[in-house]
Amino acid sequence: MSFNTSADWSANIDNSMHYTDDVALFSVTRRLSLKDDPTQPVVDRPSQGADFVYEPKAELEWSGNNALGEIQVSLDAGGYVFVDQSAYTHGLYELQMSQTFATDTKISLDYNFVPELFLGKNVLRRENGAESEHDELLSNHFWSIHLDQPLTNNITVRLLGRYGLRHYNAPFQHRDTQFWTLGPHLEWAIRPGIALLLGYHYERGVADHKKVINVDDDISYVNHYASAELKLQILERLSAIFIVDYEKNVFTSQYVNDEHRGASENLFQGEIELLYELDKSATVKLGWQHGSRKLTSEAHSVNNNNIWLGVDYVF
């Protein structure tokens, strides 16, 4: 609805149903994206079984004009609701504000919050050899800034900066992490109906391992992430998105007895999504995602597959 000539409201509602063959890796895999949070924390106990996951999502956006150009503010709220393994159910919240100037330069500020994300059961190992098992939960915050600058009518360059905090529950408080991210993105409208998005992120994460003494566990890391996303218009109403991701996570722990010391994780992921426009306001989505991650300290890689069907409504 429009309440005057220079400001508009719009709403987007998305409902999807997923099937995942690993509930522990589902959120980590789904959020591996240039547009989301690709460095979700390490999951020490994957392979926790399959489940169906319902994803409700709603976005409210306001746009208007000011003396500088166009301004947009959006609020996004959603979540993942697990049918059987309900402990993994969690919410996702995002607030974004952007300003586009007369030069077409665009600055965007973003805040993202995920409270009480259940990572599964985990074992706390102390220096004296004692072990105890506990639920591991995480509350995640990050703030980001994007600077978009069109170079030509078809090519836009984006610079991204990010700062975040990951807060763990007791007794895993020593894993509380601060992280910083820097990276460039390139958007290229190759020709009508074909668009390419390329990006790279460098990230440094430092865990507060001094919060708990006598624990040989430090998940500090250096991360490299690269992604390529190709969107094709196949028919008038049918389009496809192909995404390839690679991530290398190098742990920097100095504890001799830490299982992460000297280890790294390599992740390869591919995704395909088909979108069919029923009309101007409704789009049906069908997708498949496959990820394979391998820790150098483990003998075998761990795979995760997600399949989804959903409908996106715009008002």
Side-chain angles (χ1 to χ4, degrees), residues 38-40 162 166 177-182 200-207 218-225 246-254 260 262-267 295:
T39 53
Q40 286 271 287
R162 202 169 71 133
R166 306 196 198 278
T177 304
Q178 297 184 63
F179 59 93
W180 303 263
T181 314
L182 292 172
Y200 165 76
H201 292 176
Y202 171 85
E203 183 168 299
R204 171 78 176 176
V206 180
D218 180 2
I219 59 169
S220 300
Y221 64 88
V222 171
N223 181 276
H224 301 274
Y225 169 65
Y246 170 71
E247 186 175 49
K248 184 177 182 66
N249 201 35
V250 181
F251 294 100
T252 58
S253 173
Q254 299 300 310
H260 297 110
S264 62
E265 181 184 46
N266 288 284
L267 187 150
L295 271 169

Side-chain angles (χ1 to χ4, degrees), residues 277-296:
E277 295 183 7
L278 297 176
D279 53 41
K280 293 182 178 180
S281 62
T283 301
V284 177
K285 305 181 298 182
L286 175 65
W288 171 61
Q289 185 179 55
H290 173 76
S292 178
R293 57 187 69 225
K294 172 70 168 60
L295 271 169
T296 54

Side-chain angles (χ1 to χ4, degrees), residues 2 16 55 64 71 91 103 108 110 125 136 161 174 200 203-204 231 254 271 276 303:
S2 176
S16 299
E55 181 190 8
I71 185 171
T103 58
S108 302
D110 182 78
R125 297 179 177 85
E136 185 178 11
H174 59 283
Y200 165 76
E203 183 168 299
R204 171 78 176 176
K231 185 171 183 178
Q254 299 300 310
E271 175 181 332
Y276 183 77
N303 298 319

Side-chain angles (χ1 to χ4, degrees), residues 150-271:
L151 300 181
T152 69
N153 290 333
N154 299 330
I155 298 176
T156 298
V157 171
R158 174 182 302 118
L159 298 178
L160 172 141
R162 202 169 71 133
Y163 170 74
L165 299 169
R166 306 196 198 278
H167 293 301
Y168 288 77
N169 64 313
F172 297 101
Q173 296 176 71
H174 59 283
R175 288 190 162 193
D176 286 358
T177 304
Q178 297 184 63
F179 59 93
W180 303 263
T181 314
L182 292 172
H185 298 175
L186 175 70
E187 293 185 358
W188 180 19
I190 301 173
R191 62 189 179 94
I194 303 178
L196 179 65
L197 172 63
L198 301 173
Y200 165 76
H201 292 176
Y202 171 85
E203 183 168 299
R204 171 78 176 176
V206 180
D208 193 359
H209 53 87
K210 295 181 181 179
K211 276 191 173 181
V212 179
I213 60 174
N214 302 321
V215 175
D216 290 333
D217 182 28
D218 180 2
I219 59 169
S220 300
Y221 64 88
V222 171
N223 181 276
H224 301 274
Y225 169 65
S227 179
E229 178 178 324
L230 179 66
K231 185 171 183 178
L232 299 175
Q233 189 77 35
I234 301 173
L235 299 172
E236 182 181 355
R237 294 190 177 188
L238 179 65
S239 59
I241 300 175
F242 303 91
I243 304 175
V244 177
D245 301 287
Y246 170 71
E247 186 175 49
K248 184 177 182 66
N249 201 35
V250 181
F251 294 100
T252 58
S253 173
Q254 299 300 310
Y255 292 130
V256 174
N257 297 320
D258 189 347
E259 64 179 355
H260 297 110
R261 185 173 187 266
S264 62
E265 181 184 46
N266 288 284
L267 187 150
F268 298 90
Q269 185 166 293
E271 175 181 332

